[in-house]
Each structure stands twice: as C-alpha cells, then as structure tokens.
Amino acid sequence: MSNITFTMIKPDAVANGHTGNVINDFIVGGFKLKAMKYLHLSKEQAEAFYGIHRERPFFNDLVSFMISGPIVAAVLEKENAVADFRTLIGATNPADAAEGTIRAKYAKSIDANAVHGSDSNENAAGEASFFFSSFEMY
Ligand code: UDP
Ligand code: MG
C-alpha cells in the first residue's frame, strides 16, 4: 500500500545550489510529489516543528540553522515511504551515510545535513499537515 512521508530540503542544501538535484533524487528514487513549497520558516514555526527535540542539547542550534535561510517542504508518496525515504537520505551524520545517499552526496555535517525525513507514518501525517492543507496535496 502506498503511503506518505514528509521532507524538507534544509537551508544548507538550498544555499549550496542542490535543490534541483535533491528533488531529482526523490523522483528517481521512486517517490511521487504530492505537495511542495518554498518558504523561510519563522523561529516559532521551527520550534513547533521540532518540538519533540525541545529537551535535546542541539535544539537551539537546530532551530537557528533551520531559520538561517529558505527551505523546500514536500510531501512524497511511495510504497513503504517512510522507511524507503530514510534509506534514500542516509544516516543523520553524513559521515556515516551510505555512499550514494542524499546526505552522503550533499550534506557537510550532522547539523547541516541537507534533508529532513519523517521517522514514522504518524509523524509523517502530522508533519505534512503542519505545512499543507488537504487542498494542497495531490
Ligand atoms: N541534529 C544535530 N545534532 C545531533 C543530532 C541531530 O544537529 O547530534 C539535528 C540534525 O539536523 C537532525 C535533526 O537534528 O537531522 C533531527 O535529529 P534526528 O535525530 O531526528 O535525526 P534525523 O531524523 O533527521 O536523521
Ligand atoms: Mg528525526
């Protein structure tokens, strides 16, 4: 059964000119675009999105990084979308990411790691609806 995941192309990948290549990797990887927008998060939005990480030591740096420039937010559809997308992007730390993965190719560090990917179907649905209304998903 087809399901969805949510992704962001993070400020580092956008600023470094990787947006087009990353979107191409999504599509070549078998993901269908259901929704996409280009936006610059506010501090309040970034804090809300990453609320589950509020107690973690990197929270403030993560929020500062995510508001440092514009991002691309997208909802992607595929069979087994959440797990397959995490395989496509690779490990959180690009130094540990498998060769050919998006983070291995485009990320420089564990904080500026090029892309976000949902970690469960439940979080994918919540993250998608954080950014998109049902009228904006196709
Ligand atoms: N992060 C960080 N330092 C860490 C762990 C995570 O800066 O030690 C950042 C990184 O940008 C990561 C995000 O926080 O993508 C969310 O962390 P998570 O553990 O959920 O990793 P992900 O699901 O993105 O692989
Ligand atoms: Mg995560």
Side-chain angles (χ1 to χ4, degrees), residues 4-84:
I4 64 158
T5 193
F6 172 79
T7 185
M8 292 182 285
I9 305 175
K10 295 187 179 185
D12 60 314
V14 172
N16 292 328
H18 299 311
T19 301
N21 285 326
V22 171
I23 293 170
N24 192 57
D25 283 357
F26 295 165
I27 293 166
V28 171
F31 292 84
K32 178 189 161 230
L33 297 177
K34 276 185 75 69
M36 180 167 276
K37 61 175 77 163
Y38 185 50
L39 75 155
H40 195 145
L41 287 169
S42 69
K43 185 165 184 277
E44 292 68 29
Q45 288 169 329
E47 286 174 348
F49 182 85
Y50 282 112
I52 50 165
H53 295 312
R54 196 172 288 277
E55 304 307 323
R56 297 180 70 180
F58 56 82
F59 179 73
N60 288 333
D61 289 341
L62 174 60
V63 168
S64 299
F65 165 65
M66 289 302 297
I67 66 173
S68 67
I71 63 153
V72 175
V75 180
L76 304 174
E77 183 174 11
K78 187 184 178 298
E79 260 179 50
N80 199 32
V82 167
D84 284 2

Side-chain angles (χ1 to χ4, degrees), residues 10 50 53 56 58 62 86 92 103 110-111 113 116-117:
K10 295 187 179 185
Y50 282 112
H53 295 312
R56 297 180 70 180
F58 56 82
L62 174 60
R86 292 193 66 98
T92 306
R103 283 168 166 165
I110 190 169
D111 48 314
N113 62 0
H116 168 81

